[in-house]
Amino acid sequence: MPSVSSSTKKPSVCLVTLGCSKNLVDSEMMLGFLKQEGFHLSTQPEKSDVIVVNTCGFVEDSKRESINQILEMAEHKAKGRAKLLVASGCLTQRYLKELELEIPEVDLFVGLGEFNKIGKLLKQKLGGSEIIARSYVSDKQILPDPDAPRVLSTPRHYAYVKVSEGCNHRCSFCVIPHIRGNLRSRPIDSIVEDMRRQHAMGVKEFNFIAQDLNEYGFDLKDQTNLTRLIAEVEKIPGKFWVRFHYMYPLEFTGPLIEAIKNSSKVVPYIDMPLQHVSDRILLSMKRGSGSRYIRQLLAKLNQAIPEITLRTTFIVGYPGETETEFQELLDFINEGHFAHVGAFKYSDEETTAAAKLPGRIPDEVKQERYTQLMQAQSDISLAKNREKVGKVFEVLSEGVSPEHEWVMQARLTCQAPEVDGVTYLSECVPGSAQQGEFLKVKITEAHEYDLVAQPVS
């Protein structure tokens, strides 16, 4: 996004995004509505007339980060050019009354179901209108639409595709249904048209996101599901990757696994947050599946798709988690099922069932367990990466590395953007591999998270 000089006559706006990729899509839609209303888009808050902070309110750390970011941006309003400060997103949706009282620096609060109005509201605010309220928050949700304006903020070769919003599960630790409501799915033709248009603009990788991708379409009551969506995506011409994130372990039907296996578009990569493997904890978490089911599913996926890459997420320090239960989780990780693992240290969230449970785990114990878990996985990741040395793979070029201006980087199908490692290209002059280009490479070095490769003809 280009910055805007102070001499421009049109107001400039800087949007700061926090949280997950689902929040990022909301930000991209907001940017589209702002651009549609004539705002210049800037990446420099100190040179912007309006600053928008799209907040996250998922766990304690993200709430704290959101508050700090709002207060930091308020300094630009107090001492700089900014005339208006806006808070949007999950934190606003969840804690509107508290934020209204505690952060008077915010001029406008916009919730998850009202951000399509943000451009019009800001124009009226800047124009001195006295009829504009300070807060616009409702229980509605806004789903992406191919005809709605959107400005991609990812590099031009990949994009996130939000296929649904909200969630019908009631996991004991999770506030998403309280914030974003129940499952609401997009029609298949809306998703496919979005992909067609973005592919024509140069997008070569589509990352499907939802709170539970496996339940996509269940609310539509017309037999829409992920298997049917894959069939329609197959009909889109051209070469591109489709990657699946946030696949709840339930509803992994035989037809779905076969559709993933046989797809020419869907890469063999599944992000499936499991949260734990102890039966007692899974039952308390209200996950709907036990350790036996999880192991059977992993075996089924590996048998059907031997080249599959699995990513998962676990929670450590859940109330009442014993040393034995944590050791069970650690032993499960050491079995080597996963190429990539993320972890959260449990935090209480009001309105959730887990917040009322006895058996709080001390913070220092949570940290110790987190460290043990991530160290175990780093050893596994290194071993899995070493298995790739000497082999040839297809990669998607990302152009010049943001960390090394004289190094090119790419990603294998087993490396998702932003959350996994990358593949650095040796013997490749910057500019020789264009961003969004598919290449064949031979892996020459392996590290815990990243790989090094050289292009092959």
Side-chain angles (χ1 to χ4, degrees):
M1 256 181 292
S3 60
V4 182
S5 70
S6 59
S7 61
T8 182
K9 293 182 180 179
K10 292 185 177 181
S12 59
V13 59
C14 175
L15 196 157
V16 180
T17 302
L18 303 172
C20 66
S21 53
K22 294 181 280 292
N23 214 34
L24 178 67
V25 172
D26 290 349
S27 287
E28 292 176 340
M29 294 166 66
M30 273 192 276
L31 288 171
F33 292 121
L34 288 162
K35 187 175 181 181
Q36 188 178 61
E37 290 297 324
F39 285 86
H40 286 282
L41 307 181
S42 170
T43 57
Q44 299 174 285
E46 69 277 6
K47 295 183 179 180
S48 300
D49 300 301
V50 179
I51 302 172
V52 181
V53 181
N54 193 15
T55 62
C56 178
F58 182 52
V59 293
E60 191 61 38
D61 286 348
S62 61
K63 290 186 285 188
R64 189 179 301 112
E65 181 187 14
S66 293
I67 294 293
N68 290 341
Q69 189 66 248
I70 292 171
L71 295 176
E72 181 180 334
M73 292 301 105
E75 289 297 305
H76 294 296
K77 179 185 167 188
K79 302 176 182 178
R81 170 178 167 176
K83 301 179 182 69
L84 295 176
L85 177 61
V86 183
S88 64
C90 290
L91 193 74
T92 294
Q93 188 75 22
R94 188 177 178 192
Y95 295 109
L96 175 63
K97 291 182 180 179
E98 293 89 337
L99 295 173
E100 286 178 323
L101 290 172
E102 295 176 14
I103 312 184
E105 296 91 340
V106 174
D107 300 285
L108 186 65
F109 292 99
V110 181
L112 298 170
E114 307 292 335
F115 64 72
N116 57 335
K117 303 173 182 175
I118 190 168
K120 289 182 171 63
L121 292 173
L122 286 175
K123 283 177 70 175
Q124 293 181 65
K125 275 277 190 184
L126 289 170
S129 173
E130 296 181 0
I131 64 170
I132 301 301
R134 189 183 177 210
S135 302
Y136 291 82
V137 176
S138 69
D139 292 332
K140 295 186 297 182
Q141 296 289 338
I142 299 172
L143 284 168
D145 184 285
D147 293 326
R150 180 178 169 189
V151 176
L152 295 184
S153 57
T154 52
R156 63 182 180 86
H157 62 288
Y158 73 83
Y160 291 100
V161 180
K162 187 191 286 191
V163 304
S164 64
E165 182 61 274
C167 185
N168 286 344
H169 299 293
R170 293 298 183 267
C171 299
S172 67
F173 54 85
C174 183
V175 296
I176 293 299
H178 302 280
I179 299 174
R180 291 185 176 263
N182 289 329
L183 174 70
R184 290 181 62 245
S185 302
R186 297 173 63 184
I188 287 177
D189 57 356
S190 168
I191 296 168
V192 170
E193 180 59 27
D194 231 351
M195 293 175 67
R196 286 181 183 274
R197 295 183 188 184
Q198 291 179 21
H199 182 53
M201 295 167 57
V203 173
K204 298 296 180 65
E205 178 180 4
F206 295 94
N207 291 271
F208 279 26
I209 55 174
Q211 197 59 36
D212 176 7
L213 194 59
N214 288 15
E215 288 205 345
Y216 163 72
F218 283 20
D219 58 307
L220 298 180
K221 310 296 184 183
D222 62 359
Q223 298 186 318
T224 292
N225 57 35
L226 190 55
T227 303
R228 290 184 61 191
L229 176 56
I230 292 172
E232 293 304 313
V233 167
E234 285 293 308
K235 300 175 184 178
I236 302 175
K239 181 173 176 56
F240 56 85
W241 289 350
V242 174
R243 188 183 301 277
F244 287 164
H245 296 272
Y246 316 122
M247 302 186 79
Y248 208 90
L250 299 177
E251 306 299 341
F252 254 109
T253 65
L256 174 58
I257 294 173
E258 282 298 302
I260 295 171
K261 173 185 176 180
N262 296 325
S263 174
S264 64
K265 310 290 189 184
V266 180
V267 299
Y269 178 107
I270 288 176
D271 178 2
M272 181 172 55
L274 296 176
Q275 312 304 356
H276 217 282
V277 75
S278 160
D279 282 329
R280 188 191 69 82
I281 292 200
L282 287 169
L283 181 63
S284 178
M285 286 180 168
K286 302 181 181 178
R287 294 291 291 170
S289 59
S291 61
R292 182 182 178 190
Y293 172 85
I294 289 171
R295 290 179 185 279
Q296 289 174 338
L297 175 58
L298 294 176
K300 187 188 299 185
L301 288 169
N302 279 291
Q303 183 177 7
I305 314 170
E307 70 278 18
I308 197 165
T309 295
L310 297 173
R311 158 176 273 280
T312 193
T313 308
F314 294 115
I315 294 174
V316 297
Y318 183 83
E321 182 188 54
T322 65
E323 285 291 344
T324 300
E325 288 164 335
F326 173 70
Q327 188 61 49
E328 184 180 356
L329 175 58
L330 202 58
D331 291 344
F332 180 60
I333 289 170
N334 281 321
E335 291 172 14
H337 300 286
F338 308 102
H340 312 288
V341 170
F344 288 98
K345 290 172 283 187
Y346 171 83
S347 67
D348 279 331
E349 296 300 321
E350 62 267 32
T351 74
T352 65
K356 302 172 185 176
L357 292 175
R360 299 348 269 165
I361 306 298
D363 288 343
E364 59 270 21
V365 175
K366 291 181 192 175
Q367 182 60 50
E368 181 182 343
R369 291 177 182 179
Y370 173 87
T371 301
Q372 281 184 266
L373 187 153
M374 296 310 295
Q375 182 57 58
Q377 180 58 35
S378 69
D379 294 340
I380 293 166
S381 298
L382 178 59
K384 287 184 177 291
N385 278 346
R386 282 175 173 165
E387 292 174 359
K388 296 178 175 64
V389 173
K391 297 178 182 178
V392 174
F393 296 90
E394 182 179 61
V395 297
L396 178 60
S397 171
E398 303 213 288
V400 177
S401 169
E403 299 177 10
H404 311 281
E405 61 178 321
W406 296 107
V407 176
M408 305 289 286
Q409 76 177 39
R411 284 183 292 104
L412 280 69
T413 58
C414 63
Q415 296 171 319
E418 301 183 35
V419 293
D420 299 333
V422 299
T423 298
Y424 295 106
L425 303 180
S426 62
E427 302 180 22
C428 193
V429 178
S432 59
Q434 299 301 313
Q435 190 180 60
E437 181 181 353
F438 289 102
L439 307 168
K440 293 290 185 182
V441 301
K442 183 177 182 179
I443 307 300
T444 58
E445 293 180 34
H447 302 276
E448 287 182 357
Y449 301 108
D450 301 321
L451 296 164
V452 179
Q454 60 185 31
V456 296
S457 55

